[in-house]
Amino acid sequence: MSTLAHTMMTAARSADSGLATPGELDRYPYAEAPGTDRGTGWGTAEPDLGRVGRRTAGSRGRGLHGQLVQQLGQMIVSGDLGADRPLVPEEIGQRFEVSRTVVRESLRVLEAKGLVSARPNVGTRVRPVSDWNLLDPDIIEWRAYGPQRDDQRRELSELRWTIEPLAARLAAGHGREDVQQRLTDMVGIMGHALGQGDALTFARADNEYHSLLIQVAGNRMLEHLSGIVSAALQVSGGPVTGCERPNETSLAHHARIVDALAGGDGAAAEAAMRQLLTVHPEVERVVPAPREH
């Protein structure tokens, strides 16, 4: 057995390694305490889960192709398949019991994400982290539930602190009644869900709220980054923002942003968003701060 096949067999036997199951992604983050160590779970998964055909975790209903992308992507991001490691399609197909077509399609997806490269006479190899598309939602998720989870969550927090207050300020200058009404609807849904203890509905409304806000900012480049916010809202742990601790204060900040947008007050919208993204006092670091190098 080659080194690659042995590595993949070992990792696949406990391949979830912290990847969230569909149920975990649907469960709202405030169910866990801040800083909870989700663990990697390498020693707990059943051996049969290593077979792509039997996997459900992380598949998102995308079939064998999607499941293999998840499996290989997570293994690369976690470091189990290191940089410049050759990936032999025949070995992958045998290990995961999938066709060569499925393997080829999966490797193409991973290549588009910058995780692997395929060259004539060289084959397919894992690329270094510097080549990865770190803004890709899948890579964000894989990093957030792997060994790099602390760095990923901190980086997401810092990016949101940069992106969303600016988006809120810009959105105040783009009065679209349909979007304004939709944002108001989302606040209403979040309020009802909070009263009912419906974490899933709150999370979905919150996600749509923030996506809409970025889209209405009128900046195509910011809009392109909206996937970062959606991904950030789906990963829990580490410092938590007002969005990740649903309560009346969080709901009030969301409502204040909507009111500021309706009044065309960009400064107020920006300030309310910064308050919403401020980490709770019980967490050590209140806002993203410069790091010592």
Side-chain angles (χ1 to χ4, degrees):
M1 181 182 295
S2 70
T3 302
L4 172 60
H6 180 269
T7 301
M8 295 179 74
M9 180 175 292
T10 300
R13 284 177 176 168
S14 50
D16 289 320
S17 69
L19 269 178
T21 65
E24 286 177 315
L25 286 176
D26 287 341
R27 188 186 68 236
Y28 203 63
Y30 76 86
E32 294 183 10
T36 299
D37 186 1
R38 300 174 63 97
T40 56
W42 286 97
T44 59
E46 296 178 5
D48 280 347
L49 291 181
R51 292 188 177 185
V52 170
R54 299 184 185 182
R55 281 179 51 83
T56 56
S59 66
R60 297 180 183 176
R62 293 182 295 186
L64 293 179
H65 162 248
Q67 294 177 45
L68 185 57
V69 169
Q70 289 282 100
Q71 188 85 301
L72 293 176
Q74 183 257 314
M75 292 172 68
I76 291 171
V77 170
S78 68
D80 290 295
L81 295 176
D84 208 35
R85 171 69 64 84
L87 300 177
V88 182
E90 291 77 9
E91 292 181 359
I92 297 174
Q94 291 173 7
R95 173 63 197 97
F96 294 104
E97 300 180 1
V98 294
S99 69
R100 294 188 63 175
T101 299
V102 171
V103 174
R104 284 198 300 269
E105 290 176 352
S106 300
L107 291 178
R108 286 195 189 104
V109 172
L110 295 175
E111 185 174 18
K113 296 177 184 294
L115 294 177
V116 304
S117 61
R119 289 180 292 175
N121 303 320
V122 175
T124 302
R125 292 179 176 270
V126 175
R127 299 171 71 173
V129 178
S130 57
D131 292 340
W132 298 356
N133 178 8
L134 296 178
L135 300 183
D136 182 281
D138 281 334
I139 294 181
I140 289 174
E141 179 187 317
W142 297 334
R143 292 185 72 209
Y145 292 112
Q148 303 172 48
R149 57 186 176 274
D150 291 339
D151 285 341
Q152 179 63 98
R153 288 163 182 161
R154 171 183 51 76
E155 290 165 4
L156 281 172
S157 177
E158 292 170 350
L159 270 178
R160 290 190 66 191
W161 184 260
T162 302
I163 294 170
E164 294 196 76
L166 173 60
R169 173 183 282 275
L170 294 176
H174 296 268
R176 285 180 49 186
E177 291 186 6
D178 57 336
V179 176
Q180 181 74 28
Q181 182 58 53
R182 189 62 179 165
L183 288 170
T184 300
D185 291 344
M186 290 303 102
V187 173
I189 292 172
M190 290 163 67
H192 180 74
L194 182 62
Q196 297 295 314
D198 186 349
L200 178 57
T201 298
F202 190 103
R204 287 174 173 168
D206 189 34
N207 199 322
E208 182 170 346
Y209 176 99
H210 287 271
S211 294
L212 280 170
L213 191 63
I214 292 176
Q215 291 168 20
V216 78
N219 184 306
R220 291 291 178 86
M221 296 188 73
L222 276 181
E223 185 176 341
H224 186 70
L225 299 177
S226 63
I228 296 173
V229 175
S230 294
L233 289 169
Q234 292 187 32
V235 297
S236 60
V240 290
T241 70
C243 294
E244 294 160 344
R245 283 292 184 85
N247 52 38
E248 293 295 338
T249 301
S250 171
L251 188 64
H253 287 320
H254 283 88
R256 273 197 287 272
I257 293 170
V258 174
D259 290 341
L261 296 182
D265 191 340
E270 179 179 6
M273 179 61 77
R274 290 193 183 279
Q275 287 182 306
L276 177 60
L277 295 179
T278 297
V279 176
H280 282 258
E282 64 268 24
V283 180
E284 180 179 356
R285 193 168 44 138
V286 178
V287 295
R291 299 185 302 280
E292 296 182 1
H293 297 280

